Amino acid sequence: LRNKAKAMVVGTRKALELSDLPPDQTFGIKRATRKLEQLQRDDAPIDEIHTATEELSKLTAQIADDVISSAVKKSLIEPPE
């Protein structure tokens, strides 16, 4: 579960970097990501990490389509390096 939580934090941050979502759509996700990361740093009990990963999963599922659409749009607009 700790590895899953770490992967969720990294993946969520990368997805948000690729998106052009407005702050009101990303605020809750960023907050949940910071909370999960803090629990990991604090070596929190597994049940707390589980609860935080479930919370982040629910939040990200709500805007997954928007994030994906935004990331695809951005990648199509930016010229390749």
Side-chain angles (χ1 to χ4, degrees):
L1 183 61
R2 292 182 191 279
N3 289 337
K4 177 183 176 181
K6 183 176 182 178
M8 286 181 69
V9 168
V10 171
T12 300
R13 288 210 168 115
K14 285 183 181 181
L16 290 176
E17 285 175 12
L18 293 173
S19 73
D20 288 326
L21 297 172
D24 63 321
Q25 285 186 300
T26 61
F27 178 78
I29 291 174
K30 288 179 180 180
R31 184 178 60 210
T33 302
R34 285 190 304 268
K35 178 181 178 180
L36 181 54
E37 190 173 45
Q38 185 63 48
L39 287 170
Q40 291 173 296
R41 276 196 300 266
D42 294 345
D43 200 26
I46 289 293
D47 61 325
E48 290 182 34
I49 292 175
H50 180 266
T51 300
T53 58
E54 290 299 312
E55 179 182 333
L56 182 56
S57 290
K58 288 177 186 174
L59 289 170
T60 55
Q62 291 175 4
I63 65 160
D65 289 338
D66 291 340
V67 170
I68 291 168
S69 296
S70 178
V72 168
K73 188 178 196 180
K74 185 175 180 180
S75 70
L76 293 174
I77 293 171
E78 291 181 358
E81 293 181 10

